[in-house]
Amino acid sequence: MTYLLSAEHQELRAMVRELAEERVAPRAAEIDAKAEFPWDLKELLAKQDLLGICFPEEHGGTNLDGIGQALVAEELARVDATTSLIPLVQKLGALPILLAGNDEQKGRYFPRLASGEWLIAFGLTEAAAGSDVAANRMRARRDGDEYVLNGSKRFITHGSVANLVSVFALTDPEAGGRKGMSAFIVETESPGFAAPRVEHKMGIRGSPTAELTFDDVRVPVANLLGAEGDGFKIAMASLDASRVGIAAQAVGIAQGAIDVALRHAGQREQFGQHVTDFEGIQFMLADMAAQTEAARQLTYAAAARIGSADTAYWSSCAKLIAGDTAMRVTTDAVQVMGGYGYISEYPAERMMRDAKITQLYEGTQQIQRLVIARQLLQRAGIAERSA
């Protein structure tokens, strides 16, 4: 399965890179300092059709392939991780509908999501259910032609700015999260819905991470995704398909840090010569570049396999390697720049803070290792014996 970039991919990269450098990069420091969602950049991305990249053309989307979607995330993250999350979360929130929604649901919501008129979030995590998704406690009780939702969600990216949330709740508490969880499309204007708290974070500070509460929120039966009890399966499939985007974001952050470190070290003089003339610095830069390129190629290979039988294996491999690479490379970028890398006047310290989240959200690096190991055991036919 090829993952080499086509001429169309190269044109897409060039377009997004120009947009990112000219319009996004000048805003990145302010977004981080003020910790405010960049509505202006959301509108910019919408006008450039970059919020509709995962949606079918019949609903107004551009339906880019997996590599194209990865390129958009990578190039935006190269200058600002917060902005790269806007199309990434638009896809993550919509994936339950893409995977399990019916034609009526897609026709009702996709045009507004593809155009960027509406934003959507992914409402899975709870205070006591992070990596352990099956420990979710939120309830959904059937009442005639509606479900009544009660409970809360935690750490929901864009939860306070979204118009829709794909929400997972227990319709059969006795069956537990794996068999008794269901998925719903919830409009955030519904009575009883609130986003009372937004977290103060280390990185991606312009992307609101919210607590959501549901107090007798009524959702039409028509907004149930799939059948009752399908929620866990839908959530896992959504994350498998979305993790490649986080890998691409991590690659972009790492590349941005390399760019910053190169520019600084190429101009900075110590002991009568440029910092880049020192062999020790050259070796650091070489390692940073090689590690980032390896993560990039793995990410593209995984992006080309989205939708295949081994999506989970490839997407987890890509996120694991790319996330660790982003953390290592941004840390080294700060080191190359010395004291200048540690101050907020330069973007390296922001990139280092932003990189950390790629090792945490959409499954920690430890969870990725579990996913990869289970795939290996299944291939070897020893999954049941190891359980």
Side-chain angles (χ1 to χ4, degrees):
M1 187 177 295
T2 181
Y3 64 89
L4 297 178
L5 268 59
S6 66
E8 290 78 11
H9 289 140
Q10 298 286 9
E11 291 174 4
L12 174 66
R13 183 197 287 282
M15 184 274 287
V16 180
R17 178 171 294 187
E18 181 180 5
L19 184 75
E21 290 179 345
E22 293 183 358
R23 303 290 298 277
V24 180
R27 289 272 288 115
E30 181 183 15
I31 291 168
D32 178 68
K34 293 185 176 179
E36 294 177 353
F37 183 75
W39 288 104
D40 58 324
L41 296 182
K42 174 261 185 185
E43 291 299 325
L44 174 67
L45 297 181
K47 289 178 181 177
Q48 297 295 325
D49 290 328
L50 294 178
L51 296 187
I53 58 178
C54 70
F55 296 100
E57 293 180 3
E58 60 264 34
H59 296 303
T62 54
N63 197 31
L64 295 183
D65 64 9
I67 294 177
Q69 293 179 38
L71 288 171
V72 171
E74 178 187 347
E75 290 301 324
L76 291 173
R78 186 168 158 262
V79 299
D80 182 41
T82 286
T83 302
S84 72
L85 270 174
I86 301 176
L88 284 175
V89 177
Q90 195 78 337
K91 176 182 179 178
L92 174 60
L95 269 167
I97 311 175
L98 282 162
L99 294 172
N102 56 42
D103 290 341
E104 188 277 330
Q105 291 167 337
K106 293 176 181 178
R108 184 156 35 113
Y109 291 117
F110 279 2
R112 291 177 125 174
L113 295 174
S115 68
E117 178 188 354
W118 277 16
L119 295 176
I120 187 170
F122 185 75
L124 178 63
T125 300
E126 297 181 7
S131 295
D132 185 7
V133 172
N136 274 8
R137 299 174 180 174
M138 185 168 165
R139 305 295 177 89
R141 173 178 56 84
R142 179 76 180 259
D143 183 19
D145 292 333
E146 296 176 316
Y147 286 92
V148 182
L149 274 58
N150 281 283
S152 63
K153 296 292 178 181
R154 191 79 184 271
F155 303 137
I156 305 305
T157 307
H158 295 178
S160 61
V161 297
N163 305 92
L164 295 176
V165 184
S166 295
V167 176
F168 298 84
L170 297 178
T171 46
D172 185 356
E174 293 186 2
R178 291 184 179 273
K179 296 182 179 180
M181 186 187 302
S182 301
F184 303 89
I185 308 168
V186 178
E187 298 186 14
T188 58
E189 290 188 354
S190 302
F193 174 90
R197 172 187 169 93
V198 174
E199 305 293 345
H200 181 78
K201 306 189 301 293
M202 174 192 296
I204 56 166
R205 287 169 47 78
S207 177
T209 302
E211 178 184 359
L212 308 180
T213 58
F214 301 77
D215 184 8
D216 286 340
V217 174
R218 290 188 169 269
V219 177
V221 170
N223 281 27
L224 173 70
L225 290 167
E228 284 193 7
D230 286 348
F232 186 84
K233 177 178 65 177
I234 294 169
M236 295 301 99
S238 297
L239 291 171
D240 286 343
S242 178
R243 282 175 178 142
V244 173
I246 303 306
Q249 181 189 49
V251 169
I253 294 170
Q255 186 60 58
I258 293 172
D259 296 343
V260 170
L262 272 172
R263 285 196 299 268
H264 179 84
Q267 298 169 0
R268 173 83 167 155
E269 291 188 6
Q270 290 288 281
F271 303 100
Q273 56 185 322
H274 288 103
V275 171
T276 49
D277 292 334
F278 293 103
E279 190 176 67
I281 298 299
Q282 292 176 4
F283 283 6
M284 287 186 70
L285 292 169
D287 285 343
M288 292 158 67
Q291 292 160 7
T292 301
E293 193 59 52
R296 177 181 289 113
Q297 296 305 316
L298 176 56
T299 296
Y300 294 170
R305 289 166 168 81
I306 295 300
S308 68
D310 53 358
T311 293
Y313 173 81
W314 282 95
S315 62
S316 286
C317 283
K319 182 188 179 297
L320 174 64
I321 297 302
D324 286 353
T325 296
M327 195 71 251
R328 184 166 52 247
V329 168
T330 54
T331 301
D332 284 348
V334 171
Q335 190 71 25
V336 167
M337 296 174 67
Y340 290 97
Y342 199 69
I343 61 177
S344 59
E345 181 181 349
Y346 296 85
E349 63 87 27
R350 166 170 51 84
M351 292 172 172
M352 182 178 171
R353 289 185 285 108
D354 288 343
K356 184 60 191 175
I357 193 61
T358 66
Q359 295 180 307
L360 298 173
Y361 59 12
E362 296 200 27
T364 65
Q365 303 301 70
Q366 288 70 31
I367 290 296
Q368 304 318 307
R369 289 179 170 89
L370 283 175
V371 172
I372 295 164
R374 287 171 180 170
Q375 293 290 316
L376 292 174
L377 292 171
Q378 288 174 9
R379 291 178 183 182
I382 57 175
E384 292 185 4
R385 185 176 55 175
S386 67

